[in-house]
Amino acid sequence: MTIPIGPEGLHDNSELPPLTMFGPDFPFAYDDYVKNPAGIGSVPPEAYGTRVAVIGGGLSGTLIARELLRMGLRPVLYEADQIGGRMRSVEFEGHPGVTAEMGSMRFPPSSTTLFHYLDEMGLSTTPFPNPLADATSSTVVDLKGDKHFARTIDDLPDIYREVADAWARTLDEHAEAKALTDAIRKRDVPAIKAIWGDLVKRYDDVTFYGFLCQSDAFARFALREIFGQVGFGTGGWDTDFPNSILEILRVTCTAADDHHQGIDGGSQQLPVRLWSTPVEGAAHWPAGTSVQSLHDGGVPRPRVMDLRRTHPDNFTVTDKSGRIDTFPSVVFTGQGWMLLNTIRSDERLIPIDHWTAIERTHYMGSSKVFVLVDRPFWKDIDPETGREVMSMTLTDRMNRGTYLLDFGDDKPGLICLSYTWADDSLKLLPLDATERMDLMLKSLAEIYPNVDIRSHVIASPVTLSWETERDFMGAFKANLPGHYRYQQRLYGHFMQDRLPPEFRGFFMAGDDVSWTAGWAEGAVQTALNAVWGVMNHFGGRTPEGNPGPGDVYDDIAPIELEP
């Protein structure tokens, strides 16, 4: 990690279980649930073959479709662009195995449910070269024109250790970080609920920056500024300063920003394989049936244009081809804002309070710029300094974070010239890929004046800004202060026995419905919630001894704040 200042660095954890994304809002063991040999549930035989529309072919949508098929239902997948969603891996012609991850690119081992499906789909991972990570040979921190080369945190000036200590103190003194992470490790649900419930009440209306300012440890602005630029785990977090501190605490207390892995061959393989790999042992369907094989021509249906309720309890979907079809249930897995603008949506899909929650959703923008180079030249040693000529770079310049991806000495290398969020991403919107590359190379030339990066570039740059993508309009959700109640409504929507009958049958899933937006584990967990909801809607049940999230929801439900 950049600076060992999250909960992992607060105390010796050698004798405790591993830290996972178990809660804290809804501490349900999704990883144990999907691993149970009895399965995650079934529907009655009279429901076999019933069609369910699944809108969105990202990680959540393809996982839902696969699990519904396993139960004997017939998923009908709609996808506006390509299977994968924000798991989008761009290949370079003539260079197999080298992929630019335009969306999801690094995954914490604490995402144990996600890793279950990675294993099931036969995918392997490799440590991701985050700043100062073990997989990163060296890191350069460049702030205000002052450059520091480091292999470990100890190579940086003392003020960086002061920042690290300030964050550790703030977490422990103001957020009970040690007690909370220990409870999550032990899966001590009562302790998690007690500690986290108190934090929610105290901090729902507090920004990340406000949380820092209330701490004596961060009394000096200089420390807050450096922390914002360098941060922890994946780099600077100042673009998150306006967001709710609860969003940040969820990341730190579940190790979501630590020890990241990249998926070998590209993250898009996971949703593609969930879509295309046969589901062995599925109810009702013959051996060899995959979600893809249930679709005409092996392709999903196109973009959804219109979505409405129809008599008596059905949903009618119109797609871009003009095809109109009707289903007894629908699962929507796209970004929530699509229901407000790019899809003509019946207001009767969900209760008004849920529409309000969607309207108040805050999405973070994000941009990446990649270039393919002839070889991993950054490993060359400068004869004057004895160091690598270029390093993973954190800076306050336009590129903010530059990552070096090595596929072998005899293969082309890949440089993520820039990975930016929020306002830093907005600054790039008027520029095309080449202009963005030129801008980033100019910044890097100030840091590495003797390195001619451009001479190694062998393909046109690729770039993407998620906030301009019609089907996303943002990279991931980040709740603002006061948004906890909205999040609770969206997350608990799959529990439809408490909704009026006229609002049942339509389910929402995806990472922006989860408590951990921006992390694939959130997409997986809400997918499993939706699968449970559809199963329950059709009269199904979970096997004895393996209760699902809906079976135990009332016992461990997220805390309710006063209206």
Side-chain angles (χ1 to χ4, degrees):
M1 63 182 83
T2 305
I3 301 176
I5 53 184
E8 290 282 353
L10 291 175
H11 57 291
D12 180 13
N13 300 308
S14 58
E15 296 182 0
L16 292 173
L19 190 56
T20 66
M21 295 180 78
F22 180 75
D25 297 273
F26 184 66
F28 176 75
Y30 290 94
D31 48 2
D32 291 340
Y33 177 55
V34 296
K35 292 175 185 176
N36 193 298
I40 65 171
S42 60
V43 296
E46 56 267 26
Y48 287 166
T50 301
R51 298 183 316 142
V52 178
V54 180
I55 300 174
L59 174 57
S60 192
T62 53
L63 195 155
I64 289 167
R66 184 175 182 83
E67 293 296 356
L68 293 181
L69 186 157
R70 198 190 307 272
M71 290 182 179
L73 299 170
R74 183 174 188 135
V76 178
L77 190 71
Y78 290 82
E79 171 52 46
D81 186 2
Q82 56 185 285
I83 297 294
R86 280 164 295 146
M87 282 184 153
R88 185 178 299 183
S89 307
V90 174
E91 296 182 341
F92 294 87
E93 187 176 356
H95 303 287
V98 179
T99 56
E101 299 283 35
M102 308 311 295
S104 304
M105 71 177 182
R106 46 194 174 186
F107 307 89
S110 62
S111 301
T112 44
T113 323
L114 169 71
F115 274 79
H116 166 82
Y117 286 99
L118 287 172
D119 292 342
E120 186 177 284
M121 294 296 102
L123 293 169
S124 60
T125 63
T126 300
F128 187 84
N130 274 328
L132 294 182
D134 291 341
T136 306
S137 177
S138 60
T139 301
V140 163
V141 179
D142 169 72
L143 300 182
K144 300 181 180 180
D146 195 8
K147 183 172 67 175
H148 303 287
F149 177 94
R151 299 195 189 280
T152 71
I153 181 70
D154 295 330
D155 296 327
L156 292 173
D158 290 343
I159 194 168
Y160 289 90
R161 173 54 60 187
E162 189 177 352
V163 170
D165 292 342
W167 178 236
R169 282 179 52 197
T170 300
L171 282 177
D172 217 19
E173 293 173 7
H174 295 274
E176 302 180 62
K178 181 182 184 302
L180 181 57
T181 54
D182 284 354
I184 292 173
R185 288 177 183 278
K186 298 173 183 176
R187 304 203 167 185
D188 183 342
V189 173
I192 294 170
K193 298 292 292 182
I195 297 169
W196 185 250
D198 180 62
L199 293 175
V200 169
K201 293 175 183 177
R202 287 162 54 192
Y203 292 127
D204 174 50
D205 59 353
V206 177
T207 66
F208 186 4
Y209 191 74
F211 177 75
L212 297 180
C213 290
Q214 75 175 16
S215 171
D216 291 340
F218 274 110
R220 292 170 53 201
F221 174 79
L223 298 183
R224 300 196 299 272
E225 184 178 34
I226 291 175
F227 179 72
Q229 296 288 347
V230 178
F232 54 92
T234 53
W237 274 42
D238 53 359
T239 50
D240 272 283
F241 276 174
N243 296 329
S244 168
I245 182 57
L246 296 178
E247 298 285 82
I248 311 308
L249 295 179
R250 291 185 183 99
V251 170
T252 60
C253 74
T254 60
D257 217 40
D258 295 327
H259 313 304
H260 287 166
Q261 298 282 307
I263 298 175
D264 297 332
S267 66
Q268 193 167 357
Q269 294 177 102
L270 179 56
V272 167
R273 293 191 185 188
L274 290 169
W275 155 259
S276 62
T277 304
V279 182
E280 302 303 332
H284 178 64
W285 301 106
T289 302
S290 67
V291 177
Q292 183 178 23
S293 71
L294 294 179
H295 289 71
D296 295 340
V299 297
R301 294 190 182 180
R303 179 191 307 277
V304 171
M305 305 300 292
D306 187 272
L307 178 58
R308 53 199 169 90
R309 286 187 182 269
T310 48
H311 182 79
D313 297 304
N314 291 324
F315 300 86
T316 298
V317 181
T318 304
D319 65 36
K320 189 176 181 180
S321 73
R323 181 173 183 172
I324 303 173
D325 208 347
T326 298
F327 305 87
S329 183
V330 169
V331 186
F332 178 81
T333 71
Q335 302 276 52
W337 279 1
M338 293 177 66
L339 294 172
L340 301 176
N341 48 33
T342 58
I343 298 174
R344 294 187 298 272
S345 301
D346 188 343
E347 288 189 359
R348 297 175 299 163
L349 290 176
I350 54 178
I352 187 61
D353 282 351
H354 291 73
W355 281 119
T356 301
I358 291 174
E359 290 167 351
R360 298 296 185 271
T361 296
H362 169 64
Y363 287 107
M364 294 276 284
S366 176
S367 296
K368 289 183 183 176
V369 185
F370 283 89
V371 290
L372 188 70
V373 295
D374 55 0
R375 62 184 181 87
F377 65 87
W378 53 82
K379 294 161 65 175
D380 295 348
I381 301 299
D382 184 329
E384 294 185 9
T385 64
R387 300 170 176 169
E388 294 91 344
V389 297
M390 186 175 172
S391 305
M392 188 283 144
T393 307
L394 291 176
T395 181
D396 52 4
R397 303 177 194 269
M398 284 289 286
N399 43 307
R400 294 302 303 266
T402 296
Y403 299 82
L404 310 174
L405 304 170
D406 185 357
F407 298 92
D409 292 342
D410 59 343
K411 295 182 179 179
L414 191 63
I415 302 179
C416 179
L417 290 175
S418 175
Y419 188 10
T420 58
W421 298 274
D423 288 354
D424 287 332
S425 179
L426 290 176
K427 296 169 188 172
L428 304 179
L429 290 189
L431 307 180
D432 63 24
T434 300
E435 290 172 321
R436 294 183 185 190
M437 177 186 72
D438 291 343
L439 184 64
M440 302 313 163
L441 290 180
K442 180 178 181 294
S443 290
L444 288 169
E446 299 293 328
I447 304 172
Y448 305 102
N450 299 320
V451 181
D452 185 2
I453 300 173
R454 191 184 298 273
S455 69
H456 293 279
V457 176
I458 60 173
S460 297
V462 293
T463 188
L464 189 147
S465 294
W466 288 101
E467 55 267 45
T468 64
E469 292 287 297
R470 173 185 174 89
D471 302 309
F472 299 92
M473 295 169 280
F476 49 86
K477 179 162 75 171
N479 284 329
L480 297 174
H483 279 197
Y484 177 88
R485 294 168 180 84
Y486 301 140
Q487 187 68 67
Q488 183 191 32
R489 292 174 203 168
L490 296 177
Y491 184 82
H493 178 254
F494 77 100
M495 295 296 296
Q496 299 201 350
D497 59 348
R498 58 209 61 194
L499 294 178
E502 64 269 24
F503 291 120
R504 298 175 186 174
F506 177 80
F507 298 87
M508 294 181 288
D511 77 286
D512 68 343
V513 177
S514 81
W515 295 104
T516 51
W519 302 100
E521 181 78 359
V524 171
Q525 291 182 1
T526 56
L528 293 168
N529 288 350
V531 169
W532 185 94
V534 173
M535 175 196 70
N536 188 64
H537 186 68
F538 288 119
R541 59 186 298 178
T542 49
E544 186 176 354
N546 191 32
D551 299 310
V552 299
Y553 190 84
D554 289 334
D555 296 329
I556 58 174
I559 183 176
E560 291 190 20
L561 297 178
E562 293 181 0

